[in-house]
Amino acid sequence: MIGTAAPPAKTWRRAVDDLVAGWQHRELWGHLGWQDIRQRYRRSVLGPIWITISMAVTAVSLGVLYAGLFHNDLSKQLPYILVGFIVWAFIAGCIAEGSDVFIANEGLIKHLPAPLSVHVYRLVWRQILFFAHNLIVYVVMLFIFPQHLGPLSLMAIPAFILLAANGAWVALLLGILTTRFRDLAPITQSIVQLLFFLTPIVWIYTDLLNSPNSSVAARARLVEFNPLLHFMEIIRAPMLGQPQHLRHWVVVGVITVVGWTVTMEALRRYRARVSYWV
Amino acid sequence: MSTVEQSTSISITTRDACVDFPIFDAKSRSLKKTVMGMVGGNISSEQKVPVIEALTGINLNLEHGARVGLVGHNGAGKSTLLRLLAGIYEPTRGQAEVRGRVAPVFDLGVGMDAEISGLENIIVRGLFLGMTRKQMEDRVDDIAEFTELGDFLRMPLRTYSTGMRIRLALGVVTSIDPEILLLDEGIGAVDAAFLEKSKKRLRELVDRAGLLVFASHSDEFLRDLCDTAIWMEHGRIREHGELEHVLAGYKNRV
């Protein structure tokens, strides 16, 4: 692999170099990401279509269940839950797998002088491929429950790019931290589970905000402090043709900048330590 | 590609390079202890982490054309030195600079996947070694012929015997064009006839490489591939010089 002429280990340039050199290895992680997907369904007849099927089954059953519980129309509840689940699968995948991205790749890290970011790109790419498989369910749903999509729905594309960019820093930062502090991995897994319930995926955020029960409405307002709400909204609203709000974009933008700044600082300081820690 | 330009600048330089491994036991690796330590003002907890000094004061200057053998007892630091030279471990103290594309061959099997076919593994293993997919596709036939695996190449790797896996791995590894080749011995468990064949291929591989560092316990192999040698002892370079001289010193010591 590429050995670079090395300025001192803890410079910003080395951190940036890691990201750039990792990107140049895209043939490698691109291949590995695909292989991971096929690997998971190896020896099964349907293969990766199982991703699509299990998403469809989950969304339909929970859609029916929660439409009943909340007394909502299935045509409203099901698309909401489906898109929520597709986006959630991506978010949860980046966080949960990010927490052991370097630990899981110990063998490769100790045997090959590849940039750390290769493992992170592979992870995010794999999650993007999962996402693409799940989108098939979304497309089928559009035929059954047509949404009022317009030109503004295209905002889902930059929104997803932003989501992926955030997935990358989360995985990189968590990967570094959990390699050093092994207790963080199980903590992260629990937090991801908790976040699922705190994020409007099965329950409809605006419905609770406008709830006649004022204490429910007050509780619902607290969700604004959940960063994942904003990521969820910038994608789900355009995909369902619902009104979009600028504040979600602003929050996501700020999180992206702050997150990458912190991550680059961690990468600068601890990049060279990861191979010692794994 | 500017291979000519690159080949002139292949080099490995280290100055007082040290590799220290912190050994976090279960307690000090947990978050709790660090946080509590900070609150209690017990900053020296960092020093309580036992450190293994795997390499100390490594000074090396290897240029294009170097053929270096690496000898020493188990645990003397041969493998760690190879990883330092590969850039996997950046020195905890001192400096190390690696110029050139490194092909590290420490473990023949790393990057191989039991569930995919031999052919696919050839491509993946090549990508791991810094080759492009195109380059590997061009070499598949050559590798297939060398390994004598025939139709088995279409079978998943899990159906292979140990010896067959080694054949495949050796085939891929010896097909690449490395600038810096770092070899850790681990070549065994193949039948004698195949070993002869792979030696020839290994020699050709070394001829193509700009720089070789080869850790081995076999004098025969070392004489075959190297002209100078480094003798590692307790994480330090005990001697670095002409191969026979170093080997003689090492043997006397043993």
Side-chain angles (χ1 to χ4, degrees):
Chain A
M1 312 221 138
I2 313 291
T4 41
K10 288 189 177 181
T11 57
W12 284 101
R13 219 193 95 200
R14 294 295 297 278
V16 175
D17 279 352
D18 189 283
L19 294 182
V20 174
W23 185 255
Q24 284 163 350
H25 282 88
R26 55 190 173 278
E27 209 171 28
L28 175 64
W29 54 255
H31 185 94
L32 291 173
W34 267 116
Q35 194 179 302
D36 290 337
I37 297 248
R38 285 182 298 158
Q39 179 73 14
R40 205 161 296 194
Y41 299 93
R42 185 77 47 176
R43 300 199 227 174
S44 73
V45 179
L46 292 178
I49 299 296
W50 277 116
I51 302 169
T52 315
I53 295 173
S54 63
M55 175 57 74
V57 170
T58 313
V60 170
S61 3
L62 287 182
V64 171
L65 172 67
Y66 281 88
L69 283 179
F70 290 129
H71 306 294
N72 282 331
D73 260 0
L74 191 61
S75 62
K76 176 185 175 192
Q77 187 79 40
L78 196 136
Y80 187 87
I81 284 191
L82 175 64
V83 174
F85 255 98
I86 293 175
V87 177
W88 175 253
F90 183 87
I91 294 174
C94 286
I95 301 177
E97 291 183 17
S99 70
D100 74 343
V101 61
F102 299 130
I103 299 168
N105 286 304
E106 176 184 350
L108 295 180
I109 290 174
K110 283 192 174 163
H111 283 97
L112 301 162
L116 281 184
S117 58
V118 163
H119 308 289
V120 173
Y121 290 131
R122 172 185 181 179
L123 186 161
V124 175
W125 173 234
R126 179 171 66 232
Q127 292 302 329
I128 291 175
L129 292 173
F130 275 127
F131 186 85
H133 280 89
N134 287 332
L135 274 187
I136 299 171
V137 189
Y138 168 74
V139 173
V140 172
M141 179 215 79
L142 285 182
F143 285 104
I144 301 167
F145 300 111
Q147 306 293 314
H148 303 288
L149 299 183
L152 270 179
S153 296
L154 290 175
M155 288 305 282
I157 295 168
F160 182 71
I161 293 172
L162 263 181
L163 183 66
N166 280 277
W169 77 252
V170 168
L172 189 51
L173 184 65
L174 271 179
I176 293 173
L177 291 177
T178 52
T179 309
R180 173 64 183 84
F181 301 103
R182 298 297 168 102
D183 301 54
L184 285 176
I187 295 177
T188 311
Q189 309 289 350
S190 330
I191 292 179
V192 171
Q193 279 196 344
L194 187 63
L195 281 173
F196 173 79
F197 294 104
L198 295 180
T199 309
I201 297 163
V202 292
W203 44 275
I204 299 176
Y205 177 47
T206 45
D207 281 8
L208 293 193
L209 268 188
N210 304 326
S211 165
N213 185 335
S214 63
S215 70
V216 170
R219 286 279 170 83
R221 232 166 275 130
L222 291 177
V223 177
E224 289 286 330
F225 292 106
N226 176 357
L228 294 184
L229 162 80
H230 307 280
F231 285 97
M232 194 57 88
E233 284 300 321
I234 60 169
I235 299 183
R236 184 168 48 199
M239 281 177 79
L240 296 177
Q242 288 168 353
Q244 303 176 35
H245 301 288
L246 183 64
R247 77 170 188 284
H248 299 307
W249 283 91
V250 173
V251 173
V252 167
V254 170
I255 292 175
T256 311
V257 172
V258 173
W260 268 109
T261 311
V262 173
T263 303
M264 288 308 284
E265 174 64 18
L267 187 63
R268 180 183 75 78
R269 285 200 197 185
Y270 303 118
R271 180 189 53 80
R273 300 302 298 157
V274 170
S275 59
Y276 285 82
W277 290 341
V278 287
Chain B
M1 294 294 284
S2 54
T3 36
V4 179
E5 183 198 321
Q6 278 177 349
S7 67
T8 54
S9 66
I10 295 173
S11 69
I12 298 178
T13 319
T14 68
R15 219 170 53 227
D16 287 325
C18 301
V19 170
D20 305 321
F21 287 100
I23 304 302
F24 309 110
D25 61 319
K27 280 173 199 155
S28 68
R29 213 177 239 223
S30 84
L31 187 65
K32 191 171 134 204
K33 191 170 174 191
T34 308
V35 173
M36 303 241 291
M38 274 152 76
V39 173
N42 185 8
I43 309 164
S44 71
S45 75
E46 190 57 39
Q47 280 145 8
K48 281 184 195 159
V49 175
V51 168
I52 295 179
E53 297 183 355
L55 294 176
T56 321
I58 302 295
N59 285 295
L60 275 178
N61 193 5
L62 305 177
E63 301 282 342
H64 185 253
R67 299 280 179 266
V68 188
L70 209 49
V71 295
H73 292 290
N74 294 333
K78 298 189 297 293
S79 299
T80 313
L81 180 61
L82 284 177
R83 285 182 169 79
L84 175 75
L85 299 182
I88 292 170
Y89 296 139
E90 292 178 24
T92 28
R93 285 167 287 144
Q95 284 163 2
E97 192 177 3
V98 183
R99 290 174 182 272
R101 202 158 50 90
V102 180
V105 184
F106 304 148
D107 177 340
L108 285 173
V110 70
M112 293 262 189
D113 190 326
E115 289 292 327
I116 62 178
S117 73
L119 286 174
E120 281 179 278
N121 266 303
I122 290 177
I123 306 282
V124 174
R125 189 73 177 93
L127 288 174
F128 272 125
L129 288 166
M131 307 292 284
T132 65
R133 170 181 287 273
K134 184 84 185 58
Q135 284 172 319
M136 288 318 290
E137 276 164 3
D138 292 344
R139 279 156 222 240
V140 162
D141 289 341
D142 168 56
I143 296 168
E145 194 190 330
F146 168 72
T147 58
E148 299 169 347
L149 285 169
D151 287 340
F152 254 100
L153 283 175
R154 275 171 236 293
M155 292 284 139
L157 196 69
R158 68 188 144 85
T159 62
Y160 288 30
S161 72
T162 315
M164 288 162 76
R165 284 181 198 214
I166 292 175
R167 279 175 179 240
L168 185 72
L170 263 179
V172 180
V173 164
T174 52
S175 75
I176 58 171
D177 296 319
E179 290 182 338
I180 296 173
L181 180 63
L182 305 172
L183 286 175
D184 205 345
E185 77 171 356
I187 303 155
V190 257
D191 49 81
F194 189 74
L195 191 64
E196 264 319 300
K197 199 173 152 188
S198 54
K199 263 188 195 169
K200 179 168 160 284
R201 234 177 117 95
L202 204 56
R203 217 172 294 130
E204 287 165 3
L205 167 71
V206 168
D207 288 341
R208 286 199 302 275
L211 198 163
L212 167 78
V213 183
F214 177 38
S216 175
H217 289 289
S218 152
D219 292 359
E220 192 197 341
F221 256 139
L222 286 168
R223 290 200 177 98
D224 219 17
L225 300 175
C226 308
D227 47 24
T228 57
I230 293 172
W231 172 8
M232 293 298 294
E233 200 175 66
H234 302 306
R236 294 172 180 277
I237 296 180
R238 165 94 188 237
E239 206 175 331
H240 180 191
E242 196 268 324
L243 177 71
E244 291 301 334
H245 181 74
V246 174
L247 277 183
Y250 177 57
K251 291 292 161 196
N252 279 337
R253 185 77 180 174
V254 178

